[in-house]
Amino acid sequence: MDSKRQRVFSGIQPSGSPTLGNYIGAIRNWARDQDRFDNIFCIVDLHALTQPRDPEELRAKTWELSAILLAAGIDPDRSLLFAQSDVPAHTGLTWLLTTITPMGWLNRMTQFKSKAGSDRESVGAGLYIYPVLMAADILLYHTNCVPVGEDQKQHVELTRDIAERFNGLFGELFTIPEPMIPPVGARIMDLYEPERKMDKSRPTGAISILDPPDAIRKKVSRAVTDSLASIRFSPEQPGLLNLLTIIQALTGKSEEEILEEFEGQGYKAVKDRAAESIIEALAPLQQRYRDYERDPDQVDLILQRGGERAREMAEPVLREAQRRIGLRRPV
Ligand code: AMP
Ligand code: TRP
């Protein structure tokens, strides 16, 4: 990795199966931009623990997400890919940071309020501490940029506040990270509720990255459209617009070229073309995913090596933080 490039840290929760929206809006861009940034991709399994889940499922989803990222072209020789729980420094630094994080800062976090809902007294304390663990993830690697959606921006701002407080109390140690809100690209919507974004938490209206061709054809053929019988890119026809957007995002064609292709045709032609574009775009990824499935240890080995490299980077930073804060110096 080249030290002159900006270091970008992405944390991805292994919850649910990634969708076509994740692929178009995030994963394929990460693979494409690998040489522009010094990238760290961290599967944040410890964060996933803050919501109730089945142990075997969490383990399986961690493997699945890692294999999907690799199959999408994340190259472990150019980017660092690892699982958060393989690097104890993340929890080690979290504790130190909790001691300098005022309760008031955490009380302002909107994600905690929305996830805890009316259950504030019974949710695990981990959900409350969640943003401090996220701060530790980011600060251990001297991260410059953190690509996040609007919902996570507040957590990156908290990370900056915690880093500044630590640096102020104990001397400059942490790099102050910037949130990087990705430029608005194609937003892929739910096939059956096109006014909501396609999301892994609502699998019915979502295409999963690993869906086989038949499932893709079936889901797309049932996508909601309208009765206007007019093919154009118009927000008044959100279902149709979504299908056209998918075609555009996956084929790289212009609006004019796409509309020309459908002249004199009906919505069925658009659905067929959308389904085939998705199948074609995901085929190479799915093929590589199946190769990993036949040799699952390969993925575990990549994670293991990634974990070793991540520990080499993170441990000295944790040790320095421990020393600054007054803990015993190891002999
Ligand atoms: P999430 O699954 O919401 O945690 O999002 C992970 C990443 O995928 C973020 O960078 C999002 O911008 C992107 N993403 C998620 N859903 C969509 C969608 N429906 N359309 C486009 N991008 C998406
Ligand atoms: N909280 C993030 C989310 O839910 C995931 C995450 C954990 C993260 N640690 C991170 C994202 C560090 C960026 C950097 O999407």
Side-chain angles (χ1 to χ4, degrees):
M1 276 186 283
D2 174 347
S3 59
K4 287 186 291 294
R5 285 178 299 174
Q6 293 274 297
R7 172 156 296 159
V8 177
F9 188 103
S10 304
I12 311 127
Q13 289 207 46
S15 52
S17 289
T19 69
L20 180 68
N22 295 130
Y23 177 73
I24 291 176
I27 297 174
R28 69 169 183 173
N29 309 331
W30 297 341
R32 188 194 54 210
D33 294 341
Q34 271 177 107
D35 293 323
R36 284 182 50 207
F37 303 110
D38 175 1
N39 277 300
I40 301 181
F41 297 103
C42 177
I43 314 283
V44 292
D45 49 1
L46 299 174
H47 277 105
L49 289 178
T50 60
Q51 304 256 279
R53 60 190 66 256
D54 174 69
E56 280 317 316
E57 188 184 316
L58 174 58
R59 217 182 328 273
K61 290 289 173 198
T62 301
W63 187 94
E64 182 193 280
L65 180 57
S66 311
I68 286 177
L69 294 180
L70 292 167
I74 300 296
D75 173 0
D77 291 329
R78 286 186 288 160
S79 301
L80 176 58
L81 171 69
F82 73 101
Q84 191 183 28
S85 61
D86 281 339
V87 185
H90 290 240
T91 44
L93 182 61
T94 299
W95 178 256
L96 302 189
L97 298 181
T98 60
T99 65
I100 60 156
T101 304
M103 298 279 281
W105 292 4
L106 292 180
N107 288 339
R108 283 203 292 274
M109 295 297 112
T110 56
Q111 179 181 284
F112 174 75
K113 291 183 203 165
S114 65
K115 284 201 179 165
S118 54
D119 264 356
R120 285 240 195 148
E121 296 296 311
S122 54
V123 292
L127 193 63
Y128 188 67
I129 300 301
Y130 177 116
V132 187
L133 177 59
M134 181 162 160
D137 296 342
I138 295 168
L139 298 177
L140 279 172
Y141 299 90
H142 299 301
T143 301
N144 304 110
C145 304
V146 187
V148 282
E150 275 300 329
D151 63 318
Q152 295 295 319
K153 202 171 152 209
Q154 195 184 31
H155 290 162
V156 182
E157 272 149 15
L158 178 82
T159 302
R160 293 167 58 90
D161 291 342
I162 294 175
E164 275 162 9
R165 172 167 279 214
F166 186 100
N167 289 349
L169 289 168
F170 307 111
E172 292 294 315
L173 173 60
F174 296 124
T175 302
I176 310 298
E178 299 283 343
M180 187 163 85
I181 308 288
V184 272
R187 216 163 112 85
I188 307 305
M189 310 307 279
D190 189 287
L191 293 176
Y192 307 139
E193 296 175 72
E195 48 300 315
R196 307 171 75 174
K197 79 163 191 166
M198 185 179 283
D199 197 290
K200 47 187 182 286
S201 66
R202 278 192 317 280
T204 334
I207 305 275
S208 153
I209 287 183
L210 298 176
D211 274 347
D214 282 350
I216 294 173
R217 288 193 189 97
K218 203 153 146 192
K219 281 184 185 168
V220 176
S221 72
R222 291 180 187 160
V224 167
T225 47
D226 55 72
S227 52
L228 298 176
S230 149
I231 297 182
R232 48 192 186 132
F233 285 76
S234 159
E236 286 155 33
Q237 295 165 271
L240 177 69
L241 177 62
N242 191 33
L243 295 173
L244 293 171
T245 306
I246 290 172
I247 297 172
Q248 190 180 23
L250 296 178
T251 61
K253 291 190 173 164
S254 69
E255 291 191 10
E256 294 71 38
E257 284 172 310
I258 291 168
L259 294 180
E260 208 170 293
E261 189 178 328
F262 294 119
E263 232 169 61
Q265 302 198 62
Y267 292 168
K268 176 158 186 316
V270 178
K271 287 183 172 177
D272 290 348
R273 183 78 169 94
E276 294 315 312
S277 311
I278 299 169
I279 292 166
E280 199 180 308
L282 296 179
L285 187 163
Q286 294 187 351
Q287 179 59 48
R288 285 191 292 269
Y289 183 85
R290 281 192 293 272
D291 293 342
Y292 285 122
E293 258 181 337
R294 275 191 290 275
D295 185 8
D297 292 353
Q298 220 185 319
V299 174
D300 290 309
L301 203 63
I302 290 170
L303 288 179
Q304 191 182 315
R305 291 211 191 104
E308 282 161 17
R309 267 173 66 206
R311 284 197 294 276
E312 280 168 20
M313 292 164 79
E315 273 168 15
V317 180
L318 172 62
R319 268 200 299 276
E320 183 57 21
Q322 288 170 328
R323 192 186 70 77
R324 299 270 184 104
I325 219 166
L327 299 180
R328 202 178 64 79
R329 256 180 237 240
V331 278

